[in-house]
Amino acid sequence: MSLAQCLMAGKVSSLTSYFSLAYMLGFLPASCILYSLMPKAAKKYFLLAASLIFFWLISGKLVAYLLFAVLIIHYAGIWLERIAKERDEATALAEKTERKALKKAYKNRQRFVVAFAAVLLFGMLLTLKYSAFFTVNINTLLSLFHIDLQFEIPKYLMPIGISFYTMQAMSYVFDVYRGTVKADTNIFRLALYMSFFPQIVEGPICRYNETAEKLWNVESIKYKNLCFGLQRLLFGLMKKMVVADRLNSIVQTVFSYHDSFSGGYAAVAAVCYTVQLYMDFSGTMDAVIGTAEIFGVTMPENFKRPFFSRTISEFWKRWHITLGAWLKDYIFYPVSMSKPMKNLTSSARKKLGNHFGPLLAGSAALFCVWLFNGLWHGSAWNYIFFGMYHFVLILTGNIIEPLVRAVNTKLHINPESKPYKAMQILRTCVLVCIGEMFFRATGLRAGLSMFKKIFTDFTFYVKDTDIFTRYSFDVHDVIIVAAVLIIILGVSIANEKGICVRQKLAQSKPVVRWAVLYGLIMMIIIFGAYGIGYVPVDPIYANF
Amino acid sequence: MEKLIEILEDIHPDVDYETCNDLIDGHILDSLSIISLVAELEDEFDITIPAVDIIPANFNSAAAMWKMIERLSEE
């Protein structure tokens, strides 16, 4: 298919990666130049048009789903606010005794609107993303019970970023319902909030009050924003192209032919995949946040040096932060604070005490969070297992917390000492790598087989040595990856200590600043994994 | 206010609730403590704490909690 045909059909797949040449040297610079040429009042409309064109270029006619989602939340928001206004008018005239009943009646009407919007939005997501998975499992169940009935497995094309923008759409509806944001009567502003092109493929999952106004009030590109934005973008590019894409060949080979590799390789692949995923996703987030910065928009951070976490619970507060915050605000607290759960907490606390009392309600909410989290990543059993794995780890951490504290006191162990902290960090990293191994495995059975081999066959041999000819990972790759990881580790340690490396760089002499910038560019050009011998790697999270 | 301090001390003792103003930000009260606390406050003060009010600003200090309780009691 020629480029012109691709453009017309909306199938420019290379654009889905913010690191592709089509995006880096084509779409992004063209957008920035045209944006700068636009009069101030037209800039926001240009950003909206560029975002919708971008989405159409990567998803074609599937852009209709995004536009439908915008329409749903626009009218749901207005409907919710109208009910809230009627409620306020009615309660202002009512006696105090009647107010509670009135509020409850209006709340039920609002809940109906939220449910209606949720059914439509999640309905779209469930149909497009999960219907095949559910049908396959229903067919398997029917076969198991020898019922002579099989459903045809549906095949739908799924718009890129649907898992991300659906979460954003629902957060807006929930926030209007809760009264934390006012319903937006301007559908164009809402559409820009939903579709802003740097974030549509992989998030971050923004809240309306975080970005909508900033996007709508964009100004001319400022020199400082351009420099800071490009710097962040290049840093992301280095993470993705030099580390993540370089690790891809070893990860791809071991996970695809896991039967041929012994346990030692399985363990190495699990670590390599964890590093690849982090570099890929956090690198993309650097590119997204950097691009938004060029336009003067501050996006929420999605990572906060997760591999310095002391517990799994802390890890999830530092990894994919916007997803974790969404799940906490819209699933964890609403479930744990629901009437039956509150009653359960009150009675359990009297019988089981302060620690174990709230644990029952907390665990039920946590289970919902992790089931949702697993399924959100993909429609396969290994993703559900991944969610349940983290649920069990966090729950176990909560259960044994008093015991650990007691043991530490008894043995005079200081939990704030450096060796203890290092042990906790190492333990968290190992647990995360195991989880990611199941996450990346070609299926749950493959994941379990690799996991078993780590304990039963921790050696380094390959059954079929022909496999080595299929990938191109040698000692040079190890040196390059290790060198860049040391740089990233250094930056992370400085940030962890509260030193803002970017600010320090901005205050340094121009010669240092430009040296760093050129250094980054040269590193990407010389050591980036592209060209002959490398298969272009799509951003991993774009597939979720 | 005394009743509130009593509830807080029951849920998480050994904290000076008169002066501490980073109960959430300082990781003194975790999500499980908040679940307990909300259930207790609702029972004790006959209020409903909506999900929208479960934010650090409302739980960082006893004073902030008391302010929230007073506001919700009036509604």
Side-chain angles (χ1 to χ4, degrees), chain A residues 471-487:
Chain A
Y471 81 88
S472 50
F473 195 81
D474 56 26
V475 69
H476 299 102
D477 294 289
V478 176
I479 294 168
I480 293 165
V481 167
V484 176
L485 285 179
I486 288 169
I487 296 173

Side-chain angles (χ1 to χ4, degrees), chain A residues 96 99-100 103 107 178 180 332-334 336-337 339 342 345-346 349 354-355 358-359 361-362 398 401, chain B residues 10-13 30-36 38-40 42-43 46 48-52 54 73-75:
Chain A
K96 199 178 176 184
R99 269 186 220 159
K100 237 179 186 170
K103 277 185 180 173
K107 196 165 196 161
R178 291 173 173 187
T180 49
F332 182 81
Y333 279 127
S336 58
M337 301 295 175
K339 200 78 195 161
K342 275 177 190 166
T345 302
S346 292
R349 217 170 75 80
N354 283 331
H355 184 74
L359 207 57
N398 283 335
E401 197 194 322
Chain B
D10 184 32
I11 287 174
H12 197 301
D30 58 12
S31 52
L32 292 180
S33 310
I34 294 294
I35 294 174
S36 282
V38 168
E40 288 300 311
E42 289 196 353
D43 272 358
D46 190 26
T48 305
I49 302 174
V52 64
I54 302 169
S73 305
E74 280 167 23
E75 280 180 6

Side-chain angles (χ1 to χ4, degrees), chain A residues 20 33 47 102 124 139 193 242 283 316 328 356 399 414 506 508:
Chain A
S20 64
I33 293 165
L47 268 191
L102 264 173
M124 269 194 286
N139 284 345
Y193 156 70
V242 184
W316 283 99
K328 186 186 80 186
F356 292 104
I399 293 170
N414 176 12
S508 62

